[in-house]
Amino acid sequence: MSDSIVCRFVSMIFRSEATSFSVGRFSLYELEERTMIVTGYFPMPEKDILYRCYGEYVEHPKYGMQFKTERMERVLASDEDSLVRFLSGPLFPGIGKKFAQTMFNVLGETLLDQIKQDPSVLDLVPKMSDKKKKAILEGIAASENQLEKTVAFLSSHGLGIRNIMRLDRIYGEKALTVITENPYRMIDEVDGIGFVTADKLAMSLGFSEQNPVRIEACLISVVMEMCMSTGDSYVEYEKIQPVLEKRLGFAVEDFDGILFSALSRGLLEHEEGRIYHHSQINAEKAIALFSSTFPLVPMEPYDMNEYLNELTLFQTSLAIEYDKKQIDAINSFLDYDLSILTGGPGTGKTTVVRGMVNLFRELYPNHQIACCAPTGRAAKRLAELTKVECQTIHSLLKWDLESNTFGMNEENPLNVDCLIIDEFSMVDAYLFAALCKASSNVKKIVIIGDEDQLPSVGPGCVLKDLIDSELFPVTRLKTIFRQKEGSDVTALAHAIQKRDVDALKFSGDVAFFECSQYDVKDLCIKIVQSALDKGYNLSDIQLLACKYSGVAGIDRLNSALQECFNPHDLSLNQWKSGHRIFRENDKILQLKNQVDDGVYNGDIGLLVEVIPASEDFNSQSRLIVDFDGVFAEYTSENLNNITHAYCISVHKSQGSEYPIVILPIVNEATFMLQRRLIYTAVSRAKKSLVLLGNKELFVKAVLKEEKQLRCTTLKQRMLKMNKERIFPL
């Protein structure tokens, strides 16, 4: 039986017009940040059209994993998720998500039509009561007239029912009228719908390619995409038009007029030749305003004698003695409303945070303190090291996945007096702005992060801007205290940090094996096996890589390590999904936040059970993953939220530490290799670090800074709104 993938065409690498043999790059549906090389004989594909390719996965000896297709056809997206959400919505009281899922599993995608034609089909659903049946029939009757028209019409124009249900929640009975008048308004008003989806519908409805409304929507989309790709919070005016015209495929004659329309509607903003997406400039403004007004009510003074006594008792209880810089950090925390603590690995940041928490509780026993971090693993690590409860920022702010909104905000602020934020280098402007908006009750904030690590995935460089503004006291810890296990790793990290090539030592806890990138896979397997033989387990060993594709990329290394250390066994159930095989005992990486399950982006767990469809009354395969005692279930609906974790990206490793880290330094990743990435990867190793590849390339990467520093105006905004307090660096 052949495999299949659902994907969109991105670009053509090679094509023979004589034979139609093609090598193209396609983005995988639901994972559009991931691409797959597709080869075969097929007509020239169209962009923004969804295709299903039938064929098989092949591993090219030079280019890594590819998909060899026998045929491809146009498809529409699945609608299972939307039907489940619809049936568990407010129109159907008493019908929860699990029961709605059961209904779908039993009756399928045509369940609404089946129920309307013959309500007795509901009796086929297990645990169906008269009360539930009445709620379902009344709910369908209440919604079917306008909704059915909307579904029928928009489905005929290629819009999936999942998005149609989103439109129904936002616009209600007016959905059809609103969308047919201007499909592009969905981009700004319906979370999860972007330009590609809106444009596909508009073209089907007969909108002209040169319709000003379409060009404006594309312009807004292009500005945001450019910010996401560069990390900048704005785009320079003169750079936008060429990108826009390339995206549209034709010259835009009235560019300034189109831009003016977007500006007048507040979707873009202009400042001195800089063009901002409204979400980015609003985030900067919110942070700047917060910095100038925080705190609304300051903390009351503490008793100095009590502080000194508690500090002595705490150091005695831990058998430690803080150095001057660490004492400075604690003093800044207590003396100032907002302070910043930064430093590299092994400099004692965590020990200082434990002191901050302990002293705050002793000095202010009636006040609330909250600790948070950007990722689940970072939050858990902070909690383990500080013995303090810690949660993700998204969890603290009660983030809602479906609407992409935060439950804690200006109208519903956090009931917290002191806020400690760890791994702050990973926090982007949008997330910090949301935290600021919810912090009107907060009286004290301490920000902790390593300024030399990779910046956030989203736009902005908030930690750097806060430090460079000199508006807040900054304590830099430089003395290395980690003198035992992992001390060689720590020394290497600091040599990288200082760009001291002469101090790059590969001995003791650090090993460098020079090899070709084509030998990386086999060498990784030998190193992992050696570590296992010494008593380590797979959870102790983490491969990191810079990119997904290639012979030494994440995809190939995951496949190779799974085959070697968790091979096919008749005693282990497995589930094949695309080129991935999920097998019991697999190491699993969470890719997206699942707040309801208590599982977050970056968490690593163990696949403990694969339940085949034939053994499940729901007739749907399921995976059960154990994330250190938190169990999460996956079906085809959310399977794209996980992947294998034998090898993960450096970005995904931020906020985590592993006893052993293995890092390939290879030519195929040259364009990504730079000091911050190398430093971030190296500092993930707690005990041992194994580097393999090209040593000369490693040295060059240590000396290589980012091609272009991120461009933001957060610092300028904060300085403009804060004219009194300055703390020189």
Side-chain angles (χ1 to χ4, degrees), residues 520-543 557 561 564-565 587 646 660-662 690 692:
V520 163
K521 181 187 74 171
D522 293 336
L523 190 53
C524 281
I525 291 173
K526 291 180 181 178
I527 294 168
V528 172
Q529 185 61 63
S530 176
L532 295 176
D533 292 341
K534 293 177 182 177
Y536 290 98
N537 56 56
L538 284 175
S539 64
D540 298 324
I541 309 162
Q542 189 57 63
L543 267 73
L557 293 177
L561 266 70
C564 185
F565 299 108
K587 189 176 180 182
Y646 300 102
I660 301 174
V661 166
I662 303 171
V690 181
L692 38 146

PDB file of all heavy atoms in Angstrom, residues 520-543 557 561 564-565 587 646 660-662 690 692:
ATOM      1  N   VAL A 520      27.977  11.334   9.938  1.00  0.00           N
ATOM      2  CA  VAL A 520      27.400  11.789  11.204  1.00  0.00           C
ATOM      3  C   VAL A 520      26.390  10.783  11.752  1.00  0.00           C
ATOM      4  O   VAL A 520      26.394  10.453  12.936  1.00  0.00           O
ATOM      5  CB  VAL A 520      26.737  13.178  11.034  1.00  0.00           C
ATOM      6  CG1 VAL A 520      25.797  13.477  12.196  1.00  0.00           C
ATOM      7  CG2 VAL A 520      27.800  14.254  10.922  1.00  0.00           C
ATOM      8  N   LYS A 521      25.524  10.279  10.903  1.00  0.00           N
ATOM      9  CA  LYS A 521      24.474   9.366  11.366  1.00  0.00           C
ATOM     10  C   LYS A 521      25.072   8.149  12.074  1.00  0.00           C
ATOM     11  O   LYS A 521      24.685   7.822  13.201  1.00  0.00           O
ATOM     12  CB  LYS A 521      23.617   8.917  10.188  1.00  0.00           C
ATOM     13  CG  LYS A 521      22.482   7.974  10.574  1.00  0.00           C
ATOM     14  CD  LYS A 521      21.768   7.413   9.350  1.00  0.00           C
ATOM     15  CE  LYS A 521      22.628   6.364   8.662  1.00  0.00           C
ATOM     16  NZ  LYS A 521      21.896   5.642   7.594  1.00  0.00           N
ATOM     17  N   ASP A 522      26.007   7.482  11.413  1.00  0.00           N
ATOM     18  CA  ASP A 522      26.591   6.267  11.993  1.00  0.00           C
ATOM     19  C   ASP A 522      27.376   6.580  13.262  1.00  0.00           C
ATOM     20  O   ASP A 522      27.349   5.800  14.227  1.00  0.00           O
ATOM     21  CB  ASP A 522      27.504   5.583  10.975  1.00  0.00           C
ATOM     22  CG  ASP A 522      26.730   5.023   9.786  1.00  0.00           C
ATOM     23  OD1 ASP A 522      25.522   4.755   9.944  1.00  0.00           O
ATOM     24  OD2 ASP A 522      27.327   4.878   8.703  1.00  0.00           O
ATOM     25  N   LEU A 523      28.069   7.718  13.278  1.00  0.00           N
ATOM     26  CA  LEU A 523      28.857   8.085  14.451  1.00  0.00           C
ATOM     27  C   LEU A 523      27.935   8.414  15.634  1.00  0.00           C
ATOM     28  O   LEU A 523      28.236   8.066  16.781  1.00  0.00           O
ATOM     29  CB  LEU A 523      29.760   9.276  14.124  1.00  0.00           C
ATOM     30  CG  LEU A 523      30.821   9.650  15.168  1.00  0.00           C
ATOM     31  CD1 LEU A 523      31.663   8.443  15.541  1.00  0.00           C
ATOM     32  CD2 LEU A 523      31.716  10.772  14.643  1.00  0.00           C
ATOM     33  N   CYS A 524      26.802   9.069  15.357  1.00  0.00           N
ATOM     34  CA  CYS A 524      25.828   9.365  16.416  1.00  0.00           C
ATOM     35  C   CYS A 524      25.340   8.077  17.068  1.00  0.00           C
ATOM     36  O   CYS A 524      25.227   7.989  18.298  1.00  0.00           O
ATOM     37  CB  CYS A 524      24.639  10.137  15.851  1.00  0.00           C
ATOM     38  SG  CYS A 524      24.933  11.897  15.608  1.00  0.00           S
ATOM     39  N   ILE A 525      25.054   7.089  16.256  1.00  0.00           N
ATOM     40  CA  ILE A 525      24.569   5.811  16.772  1.00  0.00           C
ATOM     41  C   ILE A 525      25.614   5.172  17.685  1.00  0.00           C
ATOM     42  O   ILE A 525      25.292   4.660  18.766  1.00  0.00           O
ATOM     43  CB  ILE A 525      24.204   4.870  15.606  1.00  0.00           C
ATOM     44  CG1 ILE A 525      22.953   5.399  14.883  1.00  0.00           C
ATOM     45  CG2 ILE A 525      23.975   3.447  16.102  1.00  0.00           C
ATOM     46  CD1 ILE A 525      22.611   4.644  13.616  1.00  0.00           C
ATOM     47  N   LYS A 526      26.884   5.212  17.279  1.00  0.00           N
ATOM     48  CA  LYS A 526      27.962   4.635  18.103  1.00  0.00           C
ATOM     49  C   LYS A 526      28.089   5.371  19.434  1.00  0.00           C
ATOM     50  O   LYS A 526      28.278   4.757  20.490  1.00  0.00           O
ATOM     51  CB  LYS A 526      29.282   4.697  17.340  1.00  0.00           C
ATOM     52  CG  LYS A 526      29.353   3.764  16.141  1.00  0.00           C
ATOM     53  CD  LYS A 526      30.708   3.890  15.440  1.00  0.00           C
ATOM     54  CE  LYS A 526      30.778   2.964  14.228  1.00  0.00           C
ATOM     55  NZ  LYS A 526      32.073   3.101  13.507  1.00  0.00           N
ATOM     56  N   ILE A 527      27.987   6.708  19.399  1.00  0.00           N
ATOM     57  CA  ILE A 527      28.128   7.504  20.620  1.00  0.00           C
ATOM     58  C   ILE A 527      26.972   7.238  21.574  1.00  0.00           C
ATOM     59  O   ILE A 527      27.168   7.076  22.788  1.00  0.00           O
ATOM     60  CB  ILE A 527      28.216   9.005  20.273  1.00  0.00           C
ATOM     61  CG1 ILE A 527      29.512   9.288  19.494  1.00  0.00           C
ATOM     62  CG2 ILE A 527      28.153   9.867  21.529  1.00  0.00           C
ATOM     63  CD1 ILE A 527      29.554  10.658  18.854  1.00  0.00           C
ATOM     64  N   VAL A 528      25.764   7.192  21.035  1.00  0.00           N
ATOM     65  CA  VAL A 528      24.598   6.914  21.873  1.00  0.00           C
ATOM     66  C   VAL A 528      24.710   5.522  22.484  1.00  0.00           C
ATOM     67  O   VAL A 528      24.447   5.328  23.681  1.00  0.00           O
ATOM     68  CB  VAL A 528      23.294   7.044  21.052  1.00  0.00           C
ATOM     69  CG1 VAL A 528      22.100   6.560  21.875  1.00  0.00           C
ATOM     70  CG2 VAL A 528      23.080   8.482  20.610  1.00  0.00           C
ATOM     71  N   GLN A 529      25.112   4.544  21.691  1.00  0.00           N
ATOM     72  CA  GLN A 529      25.257   3.178  22.200  1.00  0.00           C
ATOM     73  C   GLN A 529      26.303   3.124  23.309  1.00  0.00           C
ATOM     74  O   GLN A 529      26.114   2.438  24.327  1.00  0.00           O
ATOM     75  CB  GLN A 529      25.648   2.225  21.068  1.00  0.00           C
ATOM     76  CG  GLN A 529      25.694   0.759  21.488  1.00  0.00           C
ATOM     77  CD  GLN A 529      24.347   0.266  21.975  1.00  0.00           C
ATOM     78  OE1 GLN A 529      23.382   0.236  21.230  1.00  0.00           O
ATOM     79  NE2 GLN A 529      24.270  -0.114  23.247  1.00  0.00           N
ATOM     80  N   SER A 530      27.393   3.858  23.135  1.00  0.00           N
ATOM     81  CA  SER A 530      28.437   3.893  24.160  1.00  0.00           C
ATOM     82  C   SER A 530      27.902   4.466  25.472  1.00  0.00           C
ATOM     83  O   SER A 530      28.200   3.956  26.556  1.00  0.00           O
ATOM     84  CB  SER A 530      29.621   4.731  23.663  1.00  0.00           C
ATOM     85  OG  SER A 530      30.603   4.859  24.675  1.00  0.00           O
ATOM     86  N   ALA A 531      27.095   5.534  25.368  1.00  0.00           N
ATOM     87  CA  ALA A 531      26.513   6.140  26.568  1.00  0.00           C
ATOM     88  C   ALA A 531      25.537   5.183  27.247  1.00  0.00           C
ATOM     89  O   ALA A 531      25.497   5.081  28.482  1.00  0.00           O
ATOM     90  CB  ALA A 531      25.816   7.447  26.208  1.00  0.00           C
ATOM     91  N   LEU A 532      24.748   4.470  26.455  1.00  0.00           N
ATOM     92  CA  LEU A 532      23.814   3.498  27.019  1.00  0.00           C
ATOM     93  C   LEU A 532      24.560   2.378  27.735  1.00  0.00           C
ATOM     94  O   LEU A 532      24.133   1.912  28.797  1.00  0.00           O
ATOM     95  CB  LEU A 532      22.925   2.917  25.914  1.00  0.00           C
ATOM     96  CG  LEU A 532      21.966   3.894  25.222  1.00  0.00           C
ATOM     97  CD1 LEU A 532      21.227   3.184  24.086  1.00  0.00           C
ATOM     98  CD2 LEU A 532      20.967   4.471  26.212  1.00  0.00           C
ATOM     99  N   ASP A 533      25.679   1.966  27.157  1.00  0.00           N
ATOM    100  CA  ASP A 533      26.492   0.909  27.771  1.00  0.00           C
ATOM    101  C   ASP A 533      27.065   1.350  29.116  1.00  0.00           C
ATOM    102  O   ASP A 533      27.356   0.514  29.985  1.00  0.00           O
ATOM    103  CB  ASP A 533      27.632   0.505  26.835  1.00  0.00           C
ATOM    104  CG  ASP A 533      27.132  -0.201  25.582  1.00  0.00           C
ATOM    105  OD1 ASP A 533      25.982  -0.686  25.589  1.00  0.00           O
ATOM    106  OD2 ASP A 533      27.895  -0.249  24.584  1.00  0.00           O
ATOM    107  N   LYS A 534      27.225   2.658  29.289  1.00  0.00           N
ATOM    108  CA  LYS A 534      27.774   3.195  30.540  1.00  0.00           C
ATOM    109  C   LYS A 534      26.697   3.445  31.588  1.00  0.00           C
ATOM    110  O   LYS A 534      26.991   3.957  32.674  1.00  0.00           O
ATOM    111  CB  LYS A 534      28.527   4.490  30.259  1.00  0.00           C
ATOM    112  CG  LYS A 534      29.795   4.290  29.434  1.00  0.00           C
ATOM    113  CD  LYS A 534      30.470   5.620  29.126  1.00  0.00           C
ATOM    114  CE  LYS A 534      31.717   5.406  28.263  1.00  0.00           C
ATOM    115  NZ  LYS A 534      32.361   6.702  27.892  1.00  0.00           N
ATOM    116  N   GLY A 535      25.442   3.112  31.251  1.00  0.00           N
ATOM    117  CA  GLY A 535      24.377   3.234  32.239  1.00  0.00           C
ATOM    118  C   GLY A 535      23.419   4.384  32.033  1.00  0.00           C
ATOM    119  O   GLY A 535      22.457   4.543  32.802  1.00  0.00           O
ATOM    120  N   TYR A 536      23.662   5.209  31.025  1.00  0.00           N
ATOM    121  CA  TYR A 536      22.718   6.292  30.719  1.00  0.00           C
ATOM    122  C   TYR A 536      21.510   5.704  29.993  1.00  0.00           C
ATOM    123  O   TYR A 536      21.552   4.590  29.470  1.00  0.00           O
ATOM    124  CB  TYR A 536      23.390   7.351  29.838  1.00  0.00           C
ATOM    125  CG  TYR A 536      24.451   8.156  30.545  1.00  0.00           C
ATOM    126  CD1 TYR A 536      25.806   7.836  30.421  1.00  0.00           C
ATOM    127  CD2 TYR A 536      24.104   9.253  31.331  1.00  0.00           C
ATOM    128  CE1 TYR A 536      26.783   8.566  31.068  1.00  0.00           C
ATOM    129  CE2 TYR A 536      25.082  10.005  31.978  1.00  0.00           C
ATOM    130  CZ  TYR A 536      26.418   9.649  31.846  1.00  0.00           C
ATOM    131  OH  TYR A 536      27.381  10.386  32.488  1.00  0.00           O
ATOM    132  N   ASN A 537      20.424   6.469  29.935  1.00  0.00           N
ATOM    133  CA  ASN A 537      19.278   6.065  29.127  1.00  0.00           C
ATOM    134  C   ASN A 537      19.009   7.127  28.079  1.00  0.00           C
ATOM    135  O   ASN A 537      19.613   8.206  28.097  1.00  0.00           O
ATOM    136  CB  ASN A 537      18.041   5.799  29.993  1.00  0.00           C
ATOM    137  CG  ASN A 537      17.671   7.002  30.848  1.00  0.00           C
ATOM    138  OD1 ASN A 537      17.461   8.095  30.326  1.00  0.00           O
ATOM    139  ND2 ASN A 537      17.573   6.804  32.155  1.00  0.00           N
ATOM    140  N   LEU A 538      18.086   6.829  27.178  1.00  0.00           N
ATOM    141  CA  LEU A 538      17.849   7.739  26.052  1.00  0.00           C
ATOM    142  C   LEU A 538      17.361   9.112  26.491  1.00  0.00           C
ATOM    143  O   LEU A 538      17.602  10.112  25.810  1.00  0.00           O
ATOM    144  CB  LEU A 538      16.853   7.120  25.072  1.00  0.00           C
ATOM    145  CG  LEU A 538      17.396   6.006  24.174  1.00  0.00           C
ATOM    146  CD1 LEU A 538      16.278   5.392  23.347  1.00  0.00           C
ATOM    147  CD2 LEU A 538      18.500   6.536  23.258  1.00  0.00           C
ATOM    148  N   SER A 539      16.687   9.186  27.638  1.00  0.00           N
ATOM    149  CA  SER A 539      16.224  10.491  28.116  1.00  0.00           C
ATOM    150  C   SER A 539      17.375  11.367  28.582  1.00  0.00           C
ATOM    151  O   SER A 539      17.244  12.594  28.669  1.00  0.00           O
ATOM    152  CB  SER A 539      15.210  10.309  29.251  1.00  0.00           C
ATOM    153  OG  SER A 539      15.823   9.701  30.374  1.00  0.00           O
ATOM    154  N   ASP A 540      18.537  10.758  28.878  1.00  0.00           N
ATOM    155  CA  ASP A 540      19.714  11.525  29.301  1.00  0.00           C
ATOM    156  C   ASP A 540      20.488  12.088  28.113  1.00  0.00           C
ATOM    157  O   ASP A 540      21.312  12.991  28.281  1.00  0.00           O
ATOM    158  CB  ASP A 540      20.674  10.635  30.107  1.00  0.00           C
ATOM    159  CG  ASP A 540      20.048  10.109  31.381  1.00  0.00           C
ATOM    160  OD1 ASP A 540      19.267  10.850  31.995  1.00  0.00           O
ATOM    161  OD2 ASP A 540      20.335   8.949  31.743  1.00  0.00           O
ATOM    162  N   ILE A 541      20.244  11.527  26.921  1.00  0.00           N
ATOM    163  CA  ILE A 541      21.059  11.847  25.750  1.00  0.00           C
ATOM    164  C   ILE A 541      20.219  12.633  24.757  1.00  0.00           C
ATOM    165  O   ILE A 541      19.153  12.183  24.352  1.00  0.00           O
ATOM    166  CB  ILE A 541      21.560  10.552  25.069  1.00  0.00           C
ATOM    167  CG1 ILE A 541      22.215   9.637  26.101  1.00  0.00           C
ATOM    168  CG2 ILE A 541      22.517  10.880  23.929  1.00  0.00           C
ATOM    169  CD1 ILE A 541      22.342   8.200  25.638  1.00  0.00           C
ATOM    170  N   GLN A 542      20.681  13.805  24.366  1.00  0.00           N
ATOM    171  CA  GLN A 542      19.904  14.607  23.430  1.00  0.00           C
ATOM    172  C   GLN A 542      20.753  15.051  22.245  1.00  0.00           C
ATOM    173  O   GLN A 542      21.751  15.744  22.417  1.00  0.00           O
ATOM    174  CB  GLN A 542      19.320  15.844  24.113  1.00  0.00           C
ATOM    175  CG  GLN A 542      18.328  16.589  23.250  1.00  0.00           C
ATOM    176  CD  GLN A 542      17.177  15.695  22.813  1.00  0.00           C
ATOM    177  OE1 GLN A 542      16.416  15.197  23.633  1.00  0.00           O
ATOM    178  NE2 GLN A 542      17.061  15.467  21.505  1.00  0.00           N
ATOM    179  N   LEU A 543      20.347  14.610  21.056  1.00  0.00           N
ATOM    180  CA  LEU A 543      20.949  15.117  19.829  1.00  0.00           C
ATOM    181  C   LEU A 543      20.295  16.443  19.481  1.00  0.00           C
ATOM    182  O   LEU A 543      19.067  16.582  19.556  1.00  0.00           O
ATOM    183  CB  LEU A 543      20.747  14.136  18.673  1.00  0.00           C
ATOM    184  CG  LEU A 543      21.868  13.115  18.433  1.00  0.00           C
ATOM    185  CD1 LEU A 543      21.834  12.058  19.527  1.00  0.00           C
ATOM    186  CD2 LEU A 543      21.709  12.462  17.075  1.00  0.00           C
ATOM    187  N   LEU A 557      18.240  11.858  11.352  1.00  0.00           N
ATOM    188  CA  LEU A 557      18.803  11.349  12.599  1.00  0.00           C
ATOM    189  C   LEU A 557      17.722  10.729  13.474  1.00  0.00           C
ATOM    190  O   LEU A 557      17.951   9.711  14.135  1.00  0.00           O
ATOM    191  CB  LEU A 557      19.528  12.474  13.345  1.00  0.00           C
ATOM    192  CG  LEU A 557      20.794  12.998  12.657  1.00  0.00           C
ATOM    193  CD1 LEU A 557      21.399  14.158  13.441  1.00  0.00           C
ATOM    194  CD2 LEU A 557      21.832  11.884  12.486  1.00  0.00           C
ATOM    195  N   LEU A 561      18.027   6.820  14.598  1.00  0.00           N
ATOM    196  CA  LEU A 561      18.114   6.445  16.005  1.00  0.00           C
ATOM    197  C   LEU A 561      16.921   5.604  16.441  1.00  0.00           C
ATOM    198  O   LEU A 561      17.053   4.695  17.259  1.00  0.00           O
ATOM    199  CB  LEU A 561      18.254   7.687  16.889  1.00  0.00           C
ATOM    200  CG  LEU A 561      19.710   8.043  17.220  1.00  0.00           C
ATOM    201  CD1 LEU A 561      20.437   8.562  15.986  1.00  0.00           C
ATOM    202  CD2 LEU A 561      19.795   9.058  18.342  1.00  0.00           C
ATOM    203  N   CYS A 564      17.534   2.119  15.268  1.00  0.00           N
ATOM    204  CA  CYS A 564      18.598   1.429  15.998  1.00  0.00           C
ATOM    205  C   CYS A 564      18.204   1.102  17.441  1.00  0.00           C
ATOM    206  O   CYS A 564      18.450   0.003  17.927  1.00  0.00           O
ATOM    207  CB  CYS A 564      19.864   2.284  15.987  1.00  0.00           C
ATOM    208  SG  CYS A 564      21.293   1.481  16.748  1.00  0.00           S
ATOM    209  N   PHE A 565      17.571   2.086  18.123  1.00  0.00           N
ATOM    210  CA  PHE A 565      17.345   1.925  19.560  1.00  0.00           C
ATOM    211  C   PHE A 565      15.901   1.616  19.947  1.00  0.00           C
ATOM    212  O   PHE A 565      15.626   1.315  21.098  1.00  0.00           O
ATOM    213  CB  PHE A 565      17.839   3.186  20.288  1.00  0.00           C
ATOM    214  CG  PHE A 565      19.299   3.428  20.093  1.00  0.00           C
ATOM    215  CD1 PHE A 565      19.744   4.463  19.290  1.00  0.00           C
ATOM    216  CD2 PHE A 565      20.234   2.586  20.677  1.00  0.00           C
ATOM    217  CE1 PHE A 565      21.096   4.678  19.086  1.00  0.00           C
ATOM    218  CE2 PHE A 565      21.597   2.787  20.485  1.00  0.00           C
ATOM    219  CZ  PHE A 565      22.033   3.832  19.682  1.00  0.00           C
ATOM    220  N   LYS A 587      10.790   8.134  21.985  1.00  0.00           N
ATOM    221  CA  LYS A 587      11.015   9.418  22.651  1.00  0.00           C
ATOM    222  C   LYS A 587      10.266  10.479  21.848  1.00  0.00           C
ATOM    223  O   LYS A 587      10.470  10.620  20.646  1.00  0.00           O
ATOM    224  CB  LYS A 587      12.518   9.711  22.687  1.00  0.00           C
ATOM    225  CG  LYS A 587      12.942  10.899  23.522  1.00  0.00           C
ATOM    226  CD  LYS A 587      14.470  10.998  23.527  1.00  0.00           C
ATOM    227  CE  LYS A 587      14.955  12.174  24.343  1.00  0.00           C
ATOM    228  NZ  LYS A 587      16.445  12.292  24.315  1.00  0.00           N
ATOM    229  N   TYR A 646      14.395  12.024  19.463  1.00  0.00           N
ATOM    230  CA  TYR A 646      15.774  11.532  19.541  1.00  0.00           C
ATOM    231  C   TYR A 646      16.727  12.660  19.147  1.00  0.00           C
ATOM    232  O   TYR A 646      17.797  12.825  19.713  1.00  0.00           O
ATOM    233  CB  TYR A 646      15.962  10.331  18.622  1.00  0.00           C
ATOM    234  CG  TYR A 646      15.070   9.155  18.946  1.00  0.00           C
ATOM    235  CD1 TYR A 646      13.923   8.900  18.193  1.00  0.00           C
ATOM    236  CD2 TYR A 646      15.368   8.309  20.012  1.00  0.00           C
ATOM    237  CE1 TYR A 646      13.089   7.820  18.485  1.00  0.00           C
ATOM    238  CE2 TYR A 646      14.547   7.228  20.313  1.00  0.00           C
ATOM    239  CZ  TYR A 646      13.401   6.997  19.552  1.00  0.00           C
ATOM    240  OH  TYR A 646      12.577   5.938  19.854  1.00  0.00           O
ATOM    241  N   ILE A 660      23.799  14.664  28.586  1.00  0.00           N
ATOM    242  CA  ILE A 660      24.700  14.521  27.431  1.00  0.00           C
ATOM    243  C   ILE A 660      24.060  15.178  26.216  1.00  0.00           C
ATOM    244  O   ILE A 660      22.903  14.901  25.887  1.00  0.00           O
ATOM    245  CB  ILE A 660      24.977  13.039  27.116  1.00  0.00           C
ATOM    246  CG1 ILE A 660      25.620  12.341  28.318  1.00  0.00           C
ATOM    247  CG2 ILE A 660      25.869  12.910  25.880  1.00  0.00           C
ATOM    248  CD1 ILE A 660      25.784  10.842  28.134  1.00  0.00           C
ATOM    249  N   VAL A 661      24.804  16.028  25.544  1.00  0.00           N
ATOM    250  CA  VAL A 661      24.349  16.658  24.307  1.00  0.00           C
ATOM    251  C   VAL A 661      25.290  16.283  23.177  1.00  0.00           C
ATOM    252  O   VAL A 661      26.520  16.317  23.341  1.00  0.00           O
ATOM    253  CB  VAL A 661      24.278  18.194  24.444  1.00  0.00           C
ATOM    254  CG1 VAL A 661      24.136  18.866  23.074  1.00  0.00           C
ATOM    255  CG2 VAL A 661      23.107  18.591  25.329  1.00  0.00           C
ATOM    256  N   ILE A 662      24.718  15.898  22.048  1.00  0.00           N
ATOM    257  CA  ILE A 662      25.492  15.593  20.842  1.00  0.00           C
ATOM    258  C   ILE A 662      25.093  16.600  19.776  1.00  0.00           C
ATOM    259  O   ILE A 662      23.909  16.769  19.483  1.00  0.00           O
ATOM    260  CB  ILE A 662      25.213  14.159  20.345  1.00  0.00           C
ATOM    261  CG1 ILE A 662      25.509  13.148  21.454  1.00  0.00           C
ATOM    262  CG2 ILE A 662      26.030  13.846  19.100  1.00  0.00           C
ATOM    263  CD1 ILE A 662      25.063  11.727  21.121  1.00  0.00           C
ATOM    264  N   VAL A 690      29.340  16.259  23.154  1.00  0.00           N
ATOM    265  CA  VAL A 690      30.034  15.601  22.053  1.00  0.00           C
ATOM    266  C   VAL A 690      29.755  16.380  20.770  1.00  0.00           C
ATOM    267  O   VAL A 690      28.602  16.512  20.357  1.00  0.00           O
ATOM    268  CB  VAL A 690      29.577  14.137  21.882  1.00  0.00           C
ATOM    269  CG1 VAL A 690      30.335  13.483  20.732  1.00  0.00           C
ATOM    270  CG2 VAL A 690      29.789  13.360  23.176  1.00  0.00           C
ATOM    271  N   LEU A 692      30.599  16.736  16.638  1.00  0.00           N
ATOM    272  CA  LEU A 692      31.131  15.944  15.547  1.00  0.00           C
ATOM    273  C   LEU A 692      30.920  16.668  14.228  1.00  0.00           C
ATOM    274  O   LEU A 692      29.908  17.330  14.029  1.00  0.00           O
ATOM    275  CB  LEU A 692      30.505  14.546  15.491  1.00  0.00           C
ATOM    276  CG  LEU A 692      29.033  14.370  15.796  1.00  0.00           C
ATOM    277  CD1 LEU A 692      28.453  13.263  14.943  1.00  0.00           C
ATOM    278  CD2 LEU A 692      28.901  13.972  17.254  1.00  0.00           C
TER     279      LEU A 692
END
